[in-house]
Amino acid sequence: MRAKLRSKLSLALTYLILVVGMVVCVYPVLWVIGASLSPGESVFSSTLIPKNATLDHYLWLFTSPDSQYVTWYANTLKIASINAVLSVLITTGTAYIFSRYSFVGRKYSLMTFLALQMFPSIMTMVALYLLLNMLNLLDSHWGLILIYAGAQIPFNTWLVKGYFDTIPRGLDEAAKIDGASHATIFFRILLPLARPIIAVVFLFNFMGPMTDFLLPQIVLTSPENQTLAVGLFNFINDQFGKRFTLFAAGSVLVALPVAIVFLSLQRYFISGLTAGASKG
């Protein structure tokens, strides 16, 4: 009886923690959605369930001549998509080299990657600004993409390398016996088996530019080149008169591309290495 009571109490406590965590995560999202549907511009007049819900704020973002929201959205999707694809290519190639090859300096290179992750990215802002200025890439999307793609290499290399290490080397040896080249092994054997971790890397590097504010604020100075995070900030500063409800409407739409990418790649998140190997 005591064991059953202890089990029920443990289960009840687990559900309580899950419910509290869900409320903490969901309530801010519901509040932002409610604010985006509330009339007016003040955050104090917004409620979780608006009494007079309206879509005027969403219509203003896409139809008003004073709005640059569509331009900001297109800029952000461009940067996020290119960065995600470029990061996957760089990361998988680097991780494959460290996972499958032995060379001088391999151990120290991995340790260097590990040490680089210990320093906060804000420490590099001045150096990155000077570097982009030397390359004439300030106020350029490609300069921002270059920083994003380069900054993710240390962490994602460790992440993907750990996954590659779990793939049996016997597959490589069997392919070599059949005459496969290193490129064939990489593209036709390892990458198909590594789809789950590739999906994770793609999602993380797609989400980063969608929500990052500090780096685009420093690199991008022209209004037509700005991203969503920087552009939306203008809705709540003095220049635009603190339009909190417009800011909420724009913030809600930011989540749509991330949700679409997540749902599109969801089957890879739940698939394992064994399933991929058996199908191959």
Side-chain angles (χ1 to χ4, degrees), residues 2-274:
R2 291 183 177 179
K4 290 183 179 180
L5 180 60
R6 190 181 299 110
S7 177
K8 290 182 179 179
L9 290 176
S10 177
L11 183 61
L13 180 61
T14 301
Y15 278 113
L16 179 61
I17 295 174
L18 290 176
V19 170
V20 172
M22 183 183 67
V23 171
V24 171
C25 295
V26 173
Y27 177 78
V29 177
L30 294 178
W31 189 90
V32 171
I33 295 175
S36 70
L37 298 174
S38 298
E41 296 181 351
S42 175
V43 67
F44 297 105
S45 62
S46 304
T47 57
L48 187 63
I49 303 178
K51 296 181 180 179
N52 300 311
T54 177
L55 295 175
D56 290 345
H57 303 308
Y58 292 95
L59 294 176
W60 187 93
L61 291 174
F62 291 98
T63 60
S64 174
D66 298 329
S67 173
Q68 291 184 293
Y69 188 78
V70 176
T71 301
W72 298 336
Y73 215 106
N75 293 340
T76 307
L77 287 178
K78 168 190 171 182
I79 294 172
S81 301
I82 296 177
N83 175 63
V85 173
L86 189 60
S87 296
V88 168
L89 294 176
I90 295 175
T91 298
T92 52
T94 306
Y96 173 71
I97 293 173
F98 280 107
S99 176
R100 289 303 197 255
Y101 293 92
S102 296
F103 53 89
V104 178
R106 175 179 178 272
K107 177 181 178 181
Y108 295 105
S109 297
L110 288 172
M111 295 303 296
T112 301
F113 281 176
L114 186 62
L116 289 174
Q117 300 176 51
M118 301 178 184
F119 298 95
S121 58
I122 194 171
M123 293 178 58
T124 63
M125 291 299 175
V126 175
L128 292 175
Y129 183 88
L130 295 176
L131 176 62
L132 292 181
N133 186 43
M134 292 173 56
L135 298 175
N136 293 322
L137 290 177
L138 283 177
D139 197 22
S140 167
H141 292 166
W142 285 107
L144 191 60
I145 293 171
L146 178 65
I147 295 177
Y148 281 141
Q152 58 79 35
I153 293 177
F155 173 77
N156 286 337
T157 295
W158 271 98
L159 188 68
V160 179
K161 175 189 175 297
Y163 196 94
F164 280 168
D165 289 343
T166 64
I167 300 177
R169 292 178 177 267
L171 297 176
D172 301 29
E173 300 300 330
K176 290 179 181 179
I177 293 175
D178 291 337
S181 62
H182 293 291
T184 301
I185 295 173
F186 176 68
F187 286 106
R188 301 189 63 178
I189 297 179
L190 260 67
L191 289 188
L193 294 177
R195 286 174 182 172
I197 198 64
I198 292 176
V200 171
V201 171
F202 185 93
L203 178 63
F204 284 173
N205 287 276
F206 183 84
M207 290 173 55
M210 295 294 297
T211 57
D212 186 27
F213 169 77
L214 182 58
L215 190 58
Q217 174 74 1
I218 296 174
V219 175
L220 304 176
T221 56
S222 301
E224 63 273 10
N225 288 333
Q226 290 177 346
T227 59
L228 278 173
V230 179
L232 288 176
F233 177 74
N234 294 329
F235 288 146
I236 55 175
N237 66 12
D238 295 333
Q239 180 183 358
F240 281 83
K242 299 186 183 301
R243 300 181 179 182
F244 285 100
T245 49
L246 283 174
F247 176 84
S251 300
V252 171
L253 296 177
V254 173
L256 292 181
V258 177
I260 292 173
V261 171
F262 175 81
L263 294 175
S264 301
L265 301 176
Q266 188 177 15
R267 64 183 184 275
Y268 296 120
F269 298 147
I270 60 178
S271 63
L273 177 62
T274 305

